[in-house]
PDB file of all heavy atoms in Angstrom:
ATOM      1  N   ARG A 249       5.969 -25.500  83.305  1.00 80.00           N
ATOM      2  CA  ARG A 249       6.826 -24.386  83.717  1.00 80.00           C
ATOM      3  C   ARG A 249       7.226 -23.539  82.508  1.00 80.00           C
ATOM      4  O   ARG A 249       7.212 -22.314  82.565  1.00 80.00           O
ATOM      5  CB  ARG A 249       8.065 -24.927  84.420  1.00 80.00           C
ATOM      6  CG  ARG A 249       8.903 -23.858  85.067  1.00 80.00           C
ATOM      7  CD  ARG A 249      10.088 -24.465  85.723  1.00 80.00           C
ATOM      8  NE  ARG A 249      10.693 -25.371  84.751  1.00 80.00           N
ATOM      9  CZ  ARG A 249      11.874 -25.916  84.866  1.00 80.00           C
ATOM     10  NH1 ARG A 249      12.594 -25.692  85.919  1.00 80.00           N
ATOM     11  NH2 ARG A 249      12.356 -26.725  83.954  1.00 80.00           N
ATOM     12  N   TYR A 250       7.552 -24.187  81.373  1.00 79.00           N
ATOM     13  CA  TYR A 250       7.892 -23.447  80.155  1.00 79.00           C
ATOM     14  C   TYR A 250       6.686 -22.662  79.653  1.00 79.00           C
ATOM     15  O   TYR A 250       6.827 -21.527  79.201  1.00 79.00           O
ATOM     16  CB  TYR A 250       8.378 -24.389  79.059  1.00 79.00           C
ATOM     17  CG  TYR A 250       9.632 -25.152  79.393  1.00 79.00           C
ATOM     18  CD1 TYR A 250       9.909 -26.355  78.793  1.00 79.00           C
ATOM     19  CD2 TYR A 250      10.545 -24.670  80.336  1.00 79.00           C
ATOM     20  CE1 TYR A 250      11.052 -27.066  79.100  1.00 79.00           C
ATOM     21  CE2 TYR A 250      11.681 -25.375  80.648  1.00 79.00           C
ATOM     22  CZ  TYR A 250      11.936 -26.575  80.024  1.00 79.00           C
ATOM     23  OH  TYR A 250      13.065 -27.268  80.327  1.00 79.00           O
ATOM     24  N   ALA A 251       5.507 -23.260  79.734  1.00 80.00           N
ATOM     25  CA  ALA A 251       4.292 -22.559  79.299  1.00 80.00           C
ATOM     26  C   ALA A 251       4.034 -21.358  80.206  1.00 80.00           C
ATOM     27  O   ALA A 251       3.649 -20.285  79.716  1.00 80.00           O
ATOM     28  CB  ALA A 251       3.105 -23.513  79.298  1.00 80.00           C
ATOM     29  N   TRP A 252       4.229 -21.518  81.512  1.00 84.00           N
ATOM     30  CA  TRP A 252       4.025 -20.411  82.442  1.00 84.00           C
ATOM     31  C   TRP A 252       5.025 -19.285  82.157  1.00 84.00           C
ATOM     32  O   TRP A 252       4.672 -18.107  82.158  1.00 84.00           O
ATOM     33  CB  TRP A 252       4.150 -20.890  83.881  1.00 84.00           C
ATOM     34  CG  TRP A 252       4.091 -19.798  84.892  1.00 84.00           C
ATOM     35  CD1 TRP A 252       5.088 -19.404  85.726  1.00 84.00           C
ATOM     36  CD2 TRP A 252       2.981 -18.940  85.162  1.00 84.00           C
ATOM     37  NE1 TRP A 252       4.668 -18.365  86.508  1.00 84.00           N
ATOM     38  CE2 TRP A 252       3.380 -18.057  86.180  1.00 84.00           C
ATOM     39  CE3 TRP A 252       1.697 -18.833  84.648  1.00 84.00           C
ATOM     40  CZ2 TRP A 252       2.538 -17.077  86.685  1.00 84.00           C
ATOM     41  CZ3 TRP A 252       0.865 -17.848  85.155  1.00 84.00           C
ATOM     42  CH2 TRP A 252       1.287 -16.993  86.156  1.00 84.00           C
ATOM     43  N   THR A 253       6.290 -19.633  81.892  1.00 84.00           N
ATOM     44  CA  THR A 253       7.290 -18.619  81.560  1.00 84.00           C
ATOM     45  C   THR A 253       6.921 -17.906  80.269  1.00 84.00           C
ATOM     46  O   THR A 253       7.039 -16.684  80.165  1.00 84.00           O
ATOM     47  CB  THR A 253       8.685 -19.263  81.427  1.00 84.00           C
ATOM     48  OG1 THR A 253       8.974 -19.969  82.626  1.00 84.00           O
ATOM     49  CG2 THR A 253       9.752 -18.223  81.193  1.00 84.00           C
ATOM     50  N   SER A 254       6.451 -18.649  79.276  1.00 85.00           N
ATOM     51  CA  SER A 254       6.036 -18.027  78.019  1.00 85.00           C
ATOM     52  C   SER A 254       4.861 -17.085  78.239  1.00 85.00           C
ATOM     53  O   SER A 254       4.795 -16.008  77.633  1.00 85.00           O
ATOM     54  CB  SER A 254       5.652 -19.099  76.997  1.00 85.00           C
ATOM     55  OG  SER A 254       6.772 -19.878  76.671  1.00 85.00           O
ATOM     56  N   ALA A 255       3.935 -17.468  79.103  1.00 87.00           N
ATOM     57  CA  ALA A 255       2.802 -16.592  79.406  1.00 87.00           C
ATOM     58  C   ALA A 255       3.275 -15.317  80.108  1.00 87.00           C
ATOM     59  O   ALA A 255       2.786 -14.221  79.807  1.00 87.00           O
ATOM     60  CB  ALA A 255       1.781 -17.328  80.265  1.00 87.00           C
ATOM     61  N   MET A 256       4.230 -15.440  81.032  1.00 89.00           N
ATOM     62  CA  MET A 256       4.773 -14.255  81.706  1.00 89.00           C
ATOM     63  C   MET A 256       5.473 -13.342  80.710  1.00 89.00           C
ATOM     64  O   MET A 256       5.301 -12.117  80.751  1.00 89.00           O
ATOM     65  CB  MET A 256       5.761 -14.666  82.812  1.00 89.00           C
ATOM     66  CG  MET A 256       5.111 -15.226  84.048  1.00 89.00           C
ATOM     67  SD  MET A 256       6.236 -15.361  85.458  1.00 89.00           S
ATOM     68  CE  MET A 256       7.534 -16.400  84.862  1.00 89.00           C
ATOM     69  N   VAL A 257       6.268 -13.925  79.814  1.00 90.00           N
ATOM     70  CA  VAL A 257       6.976 -13.126  78.819  1.00 90.00           C
ATOM     71  C   VAL A 257       5.977 -12.448  77.874  1.00 90.00           C
ATOM     72  O   VAL A 257       6.118 -11.267  77.551  1.00 90.00           O
ATOM     73  CB  VAL A 257       7.978 -13.993  78.028  1.00 90.00           C
ATOM     74  CG1 VAL A 257       8.527 -13.248  76.835  1.00 90.00           C
ATOM     75  CG2 VAL A 257       9.101 -14.448  78.939  1.00 90.00           C
ATOM     76  N   GLY A 258       4.950 -13.179  77.454  1.00 90.00           N
ATOM     77  CA  GLY A 258       3.945 -12.597  76.572  1.00 90.00           C
ATOM     78  C   GLY A 258       3.207 -11.448  77.232  1.00 90.00           C
ATOM     79  O   GLY A 258       3.011 -10.378  76.626  1.00 90.00           O
ATOM     80  N   ALA A 259       2.796 -11.632  78.479  1.00 92.00           N
ATOM     81  CA  ALA A 259       2.092 -10.566  79.195  1.00 92.00           C
ATOM     82  C   ALA A 259       2.997  -9.357  79.406  1.00 92.00           C
ATOM     83  O   ALA A 259       2.574  -8.206  79.224  1.00 92.00           O
ATOM     84  CB  ALA A 259       1.571 -11.084  80.531  1.00 92.00           C
ATOM     85  N   GLY A 260       4.241  -9.609  79.770  1.00 92.00           N
ATOM     86  CA  GLY A 260       5.181  -8.502  79.960  1.00 92.00           C
ATOM     87  C   GLY A 260       5.465  -7.761  78.667  1.00 92.00           C
ATOM     88  O   GLY A 260       5.529  -6.525  78.651  1.00 92.00           O
ATOM     89  N   ALA A 261       5.633  -8.503  77.581  1.00 92.00           N
ATOM     90  CA  ALA A 261       5.889  -7.859  76.285  1.00 92.00           C
ATOM     91  C   ALA A 261       4.687  -7.042  75.835  1.00 92.00           C
ATOM     92  O   ALA A 261       4.845  -5.949  75.273  1.00 92.00           O
ATOM     93  CB  ALA A 261       6.241  -8.914  75.241  1.00 92.00           C
ATOM     94  N   ILE A 262       3.481  -7.547  76.096  1.00 92.00           N
ATOM     95  CA  ILE A 262       2.278  -6.789  75.741  1.00 92.00           C
ATOM     96  C   ILE A 262       2.200  -5.504  76.553  1.00 92.00           C
ATOM     97  O   ILE A 262       1.958  -4.420  76.007  1.00 92.00           O
ATOM     98  CB  ILE A 262       1.018  -7.649  75.932  1.00 92.00           C
ATOM     99  CG1 ILE A 262       0.919  -8.697  74.820  1.00 92.00           C
ATOM    100  CG2 ILE A 262      -0.240  -6.786  75.962  1.00 92.00           C
ATOM    101  CD1 ILE A 262      -0.175  -9.710  75.028  1.00 92.00           C
ATOM    102  N   MET A 263       2.419  -5.592  77.859  1.00 92.00           N
ATOM    103  CA  MET A 263       2.319  -4.396  78.693  1.00 92.00           C
ATOM    104  C   MET A 263       3.408  -3.374  78.336  1.00 92.00           C
ATOM    105  O   MET A 263       3.121  -2.191  78.169  1.00 92.00           O
ATOM    106  CB  MET A 263       2.407  -4.768  80.173  1.00 92.00           C
ATOM    107  CG  MET A 263       1.158  -5.451  80.677  1.00 92.00           C
ATOM    108  SD  MET A 263       1.136  -5.676  82.454  1.00 92.00           S
ATOM    109  CE  MET A 263       2.438  -6.861  82.690  1.00 92.00           C
ATOM    110  N   LEU A 264       4.634  -3.834  78.210  1.00 93.00           N
ATOM    111  CA  LEU A 264       5.740  -2.927  77.918  1.00 93.00           C
ATOM    112  C   LEU A 264       5.643  -2.374  76.498  1.00 93.00           C
ATOM    113  O   LEU A 264       5.775  -1.168  76.279  1.00 93.00           O
ATOM    114  CB  LEU A 264       7.072  -3.657  78.129  1.00 93.00           C
ATOM    115  CG  LEU A 264       8.333  -2.825  78.077  1.00 93.00           C
ATOM    116  CD1 LEU A 264       8.313  -1.753  79.154  1.00 93.00           C
ATOM    117  CD2 LEU A 264       9.541  -3.728  78.271  1.00 93.00           C
ATOM    118  N   GLY A 265       5.398  -3.247  75.524  1.00 92.00           N
ATOM    119  CA  GLY A 265       5.338  -2.807  74.136  1.00 92.00           C
ATOM    120  C   GLY A 265       4.149  -1.916  73.843  1.00 92.00           C
ATOM    121  O   GLY A 265       4.278  -0.867  73.207  1.00 92.00           O
ATOM    122  N   ALA A 266       2.957  -2.304  74.318  1.00 90.00           N
ATOM    123  CA  ALA A 266       1.765  -1.492  74.072  1.00 90.00           C
ATOM    124  C   ALA A 266       1.832  -0.175  74.848  1.00 90.00           C
ATOM    125  O   ALA A 266       1.420   0.868  74.335  1.00 90.00           O
ATOM    126  CB  ALA A 266       0.513  -2.272  74.454  1.00 90.00           C
ATOM    127  N   GLY A 267       2.354  -0.218  76.053  1.00 89.00           N
ATOM    128  CA  GLY A 267       2.500   1.021  76.827  1.00 89.00           C
ATOM    129  C   GLY A 267       3.461   1.999  76.174  1.00 89.00           C
ATOM    130  O   GLY A 267       3.177   3.200  76.080  1.00 89.00           O
ATOM    131  N   ALA A 268       4.592   1.497  75.710  1.00 91.00           N
ATOM    132  CA  ALA A 268       5.553   2.365  75.022  1.00 91.00           C
ATOM    133  C   ALA A 268       4.977   2.903  73.720  1.00 91.00           C
ATOM    134  O   ALA A 268       5.172   4.073  73.379  1.00 91.00           O
ATOM    135  CB  ALA A 268       6.841   1.595  74.754  1.00 91.00           C
ATOM    136  N   ALA A 269       4.242   2.060  72.990  1.00 90.00           N
ATOM    137  CA  ALA A 269       3.622   2.514  71.740  1.00 90.00           C
ATOM    138  C   ALA A 269       2.588   3.595  72.017  1.00 90.00           C
ATOM    139  O   ALA A 269       2.481   4.575  71.263  1.00 90.00           O
ATOM    140  CB  ALA A 269       2.981   1.330  71.020  1.00 90.00           C
ATOM    141  N   TRP A 270       1.828   3.448  73.078  1.00 85.00           N
ATOM    142  CA  TRP A 270       0.828   4.446  73.433  1.00 85.00           C
ATOM    143  C   TRP A 270       1.495   5.775  73.781  1.00 85.00           C
ATOM    144  O   TRP A 270       1.039   6.840  73.368  1.00 85.00           O
ATOM    145  CB  TRP A 270      -0.020   3.939  74.593  1.00 85.00           C
ATOM    146  CG  TRP A 270      -1.005   4.929  75.095  1.00 85.00           C
ATOM    147  CD1 TRP A 270      -2.134   5.374  74.460  1.00 85.00           C
ATOM    148  CD2 TRP A 270      -0.951   5.634  76.332  1.00 85.00           C
ATOM    149  NE1 TRP A 270      -2.787   6.300  75.238  1.00 85.00           N
ATOM    150  CE2 TRP A 270      -2.082   6.468  76.397  1.00 85.00           C
ATOM    151  CE3 TRP A 270      -0.071   5.618  77.396  1.00 85.00           C
ATOM    152  CZ2 TRP A 270      -2.335   7.285  77.474  1.00 85.00           C
ATOM    153  CZ3 TRP A 270      -0.334   6.429  78.478  1.00 85.00           C
ATOM    154  CH2 TRP A 270      -1.455   7.247  78.503  1.00 85.00           C
ATOM    155  N   LEU A 271       2.595   5.727  74.540  1.00 87.00           N
ATOM    156  CA  LEU A 271       3.304   6.961  74.880  1.00 87.00           C
ATOM    157  C   LEU A 271       3.831   7.657  73.629  1.00 87.00           C
ATOM    158  O   LEU A 271       3.705   8.872  73.488  1.00 87.00           O
ATOM    159  CB  LEU A 271       4.467   6.649  75.829  1.00 87.00           C
ATOM    160  CG  LEU A 271       4.113   6.354  77.268  1.00 87.00           C
ATOM    161  CD1 LEU A 271       5.353   5.913  78.036  1.00 87.00           C
ATOM    162  CD2 LEU A 271       3.503   7.572  77.930  1.00 87.00           C
ATOM    163  N   VAL A 272       4.423   6.887  72.724  1.00 89.00           N
ATOM    164  CA  VAL A 272       5.008   7.471  71.521  1.00 89.00           C
ATOM    165  C   VAL A 272       3.932   7.979  70.566  1.00 89.00           C
ATOM    166  O   VAL A 272       4.088   9.027  69.932  1.00 89.00           O
ATOM    167  CB  VAL A 272       5.932   6.443  70.833  1.00 89.00           C
ATOM    168  CG1 VAL A 272       6.319   6.877  69.444  1.00 89.00           C
ATOM    169  CG2 VAL A 272       7.163   6.202  71.676  1.00 89.00           C
ATOM    170  N   ALA A 273       2.821   7.262  70.455  1.00 85.00           N
ATOM    171  CA  ALA A 273       1.788   7.622  69.486  1.00 85.00           C
ATOM    172  C   ALA A 273       0.883   8.754  69.967  1.00 85.00           C
ATOM    173  O   ALA A 273       0.407   9.550  69.155  1.00 85.00           O
ATOM    174  CB  ALA A 273       0.943   6.400  69.144  1.00 85.00           C
ATOM    175  N   PHE A 274       0.648   8.862  71.260  1.00 80.00           N
ATOM    176  CA  PHE A 274      -0.358   9.798  71.749  1.00 80.00           C
ATOM    177  C   PHE A 274       0.178  10.985  72.540  1.00 80.00           C
ATOM    178  O   PHE A 274      -0.596  11.851  72.917  1.00 80.00           O
ATOM    179  CB  PHE A 274      -1.392   9.060  72.612  1.00 80.00           C
ATOM    180  CG  PHE A 274      -2.406   8.325  71.810  1.00 80.00           C
ATOM    181  CD1 PHE A 274      -2.219   6.998  71.491  1.00 80.00           C
ATOM    182  CD2 PHE A 274      -3.545   8.966  71.345  1.00 80.00           C
ATOM    183  CE1 PHE A 274      -3.147   6.314  70.741  1.00 80.00           C
ATOM    184  CE2 PHE A 274      -4.478   8.289  70.594  1.00 80.00           C
ATOM    185  CZ  PHE A 274      -4.285   6.959  70.289  1.00 80.00           C
ATOM    186  N   HIS A 275       1.448  11.018  72.829  1.00 79.00           N
ATOM    187  CA  HIS A 275       1.967  12.083  73.673  1.00 79.00           C
ATOM    188  C   HIS A 275       3.119  12.806  72.992  1.00 79.00           C
ATOM    189  O   HIS A 275       3.915  12.196  72.285  1.00 79.00           O
ATOM    190  CB  HIS A 275       2.423  11.529  75.022  1.00 79.00           C
ATOM    191  CG  HIS A 275       1.311  10.922  75.812  1.00 79.00           C
ATOM    192  ND1 HIS A 275       0.383  11.678  76.480  1.00 79.00           N
ATOM    193  CD2 HIS A 275       0.963   9.635  76.024  1.00 79.00           C
ATOM    194  CE1 HIS A 275      -0.491  10.884  77.075  1.00 79.00           C
ATOM    195  NE2 HIS A 275      -0.159   9.636  76.808  1.00 79.00           N
ATOM    196  N   GLN A 276       3.192  14.094  73.230  1.00 82.00           N
ATOM    197  CA  GLN A 276       4.300  14.915  72.763  1.00 82.00           C
ATOM    198  C   GLN A 276       5.237  15.163  73.944  1.00 82.00           C
ATOM    199  O   GLN A 276       4.810  15.663  74.975  1.00 82.00           O
ATOM    200  CB  GLN A 276       3.781  16.259  72.227  1.00 82.00           C
ATOM    201  CG  GLN A 276       2.913  16.142  71.007  1.00 82.00           C
ATOM    202  CD  GLN A 276       3.707  15.738  69.779  1.00 82.00           C
ATOM    203  OE1 GLN A 276       4.906  15.969  69.691  1.00 82.00           O
ATOM    204  NE2 GLN A 276       3.037  15.102  68.840  1.00 82.00           N
ATOM    205  N   PHE A 277       6.503  14.804  73.809  1.00 85.00           N
ATOM    206  CA  PHE A 277       7.482  15.080  74.842  1.00 85.00           C
ATOM    207  C   PHE A 277       8.838  15.255  74.178  1.00 85.00           C
ATOM    208  O   PHE A 277       9.040  14.785  73.047  1.00 85.00           O
ATOM    209  CB  PHE A 277       7.517  13.978  75.911  1.00 85.00           C
ATOM    210  CG  PHE A 277       7.677  12.593  75.378  1.00 85.00           C
ATOM    211  CD1 PHE A 277       8.942  12.053  75.178  1.00 85.00           C
ATOM    212  CD2 PHE A 277       6.575  11.803  75.091  1.00 85.00           C
ATOM    213  CE1 PHE A 277       9.103  10.769  74.693  1.00 85.00           C
ATOM    214  CE2 PHE A 277       6.721  10.518  74.603  1.00 85.00           C
ATOM    215  CZ  PHE A 277       7.989  10.005  74.408  1.00 85.00           C
ATOM    216  N   PRO A 278       9.756  15.937  74.835  1.00 90.00           N
ATOM    217  CA  PRO A 278      11.068  16.164  74.223  1.00 90.00           C
ATOM    218  C   PRO A 278      11.778  14.835  73.946  1.00 90.00           C
ATOM    219  O   PRO A 278      11.835  13.957  74.792  1.00 90.00           O
ATOM    220  CB  PRO A 278      11.834  16.969  75.272  1.00 90.00           C
ATOM    221  CG  PRO A 278      10.785  17.552  76.154  1.00 90.00           C
ATOM    222  CD  PRO A 278       9.621  16.611  76.110  1.00 90.00           C
ATOM    223  N   GLY A 279      12.294  14.720  72.737  1.00 87.00           N
ATOM    224  CA  GLY A 279      13.014  13.506  72.352  1.00 87.00           C
ATOM    225  C   GLY A 279      12.119  12.351  71.946  1.00 87.00           C
ATOM    226  O   GLY A 279      12.570  11.219  71.882  1.00 87.00           O
ATOM    227  N   ARG A 280      10.855  12.622  71.671  1.00 86.00           N
ATOM    228  CA  ARG A 280       9.917  11.543  71.331  1.00 86.00           C
ATOM    229  C   ARG A 280      10.345  10.778  70.088  1.00 86.00           C
ATOM    230  O   ARG A 280      10.281   9.548  70.059  1.00 86.00           O
ATOM    231  CB  ARG A 280       8.519  12.097  71.137  1.00 86.00           C
ATOM    232  CG  ARG A 280       7.490  11.009  70.876  1.00 86.00           C
ATOM    233  CD  ARG A 280       6.175  11.602  70.563  1.00 86.00           C
ATOM    234  NE  ARG A 280       6.172  11.997  69.170  1.00 86.00           N
ATOM    235  CZ  ARG A 280       5.076  12.119  68.448  1.00 86.00           C
ATOM    236  NH1 ARG A 280       3.904  11.927  68.992  1.00 86.00           N
ATOM    237  NH2 ARG A 280       5.150  12.458  67.200  1.00 86.00           N
ATOM    238  N   ASP A 281      10.814  11.475  69.058  1.00 88.00           N
ATOM    239  CA  ASP A 281      11.223  10.799  67.829  1.00 88.00           C
ATOM    240  C   ASP A 281      12.439   9.901  68.064  1.00 88.00           C
ATOM    241  O   ASP A 281      12.501   8.787  67.546  1.00 88.00           O
ATOM    242  CB  ASP A 281      11.511  11.812  66.724  1.00 88.00           C
ATOM    243  CG  ASP A 281      10.259  12.552  66.294  1.00 88.00           C
ATOM    244  OD1 ASP A 281       9.154  11.985  66.461  1.00 88.00           O
ATOM    245  OD2 ASP A 281      10.381  13.688  65.806  1.00 88.00           O
ATOM    246  N   LEU A 282      13.369  10.380  68.842  1.00 90.00           N
ATOM    247  CA  LEU A 282      14.537   9.554  69.179  1.00 90.00           C
ATOM    248  C   LEU A 282      14.114   8.361  70.032  1.00 90.00           C
ATOM    249  O   LEU A 282      14.543   7.232  69.801  1.00 90.00           O
ATOM    250  CB  LEU A 282      15.570  10.398  69.920  1.00 90.00           C
ATOM    251  CG  LEU A 282      16.827   9.662  70.383  1.00 90.00           C
ATOM    252  CD1 LEU A 282      17.625   9.173  69.185  1.00 90.00           C
ATOM    253  CD2 LEU A 282      17.668  10.567  71.253  1.00 90.00           C
TER     254      LEU A 282
END
Side-chain angles (χ1 to χ4, degrees):
R249 189 180 48 168
Y250 298 155
W252 174 245
T253 305
S254 296
M256 286 193 302
V257 169
I262 286 172
M263 287 189 292
L264 189 60
W270 176 70
L271 285 174
V272 167
F274 281 93
H275 297 284
Q276 295 289 335
F277 52 89
R280 184 186 81 156
D281 294 334
L282 178 65

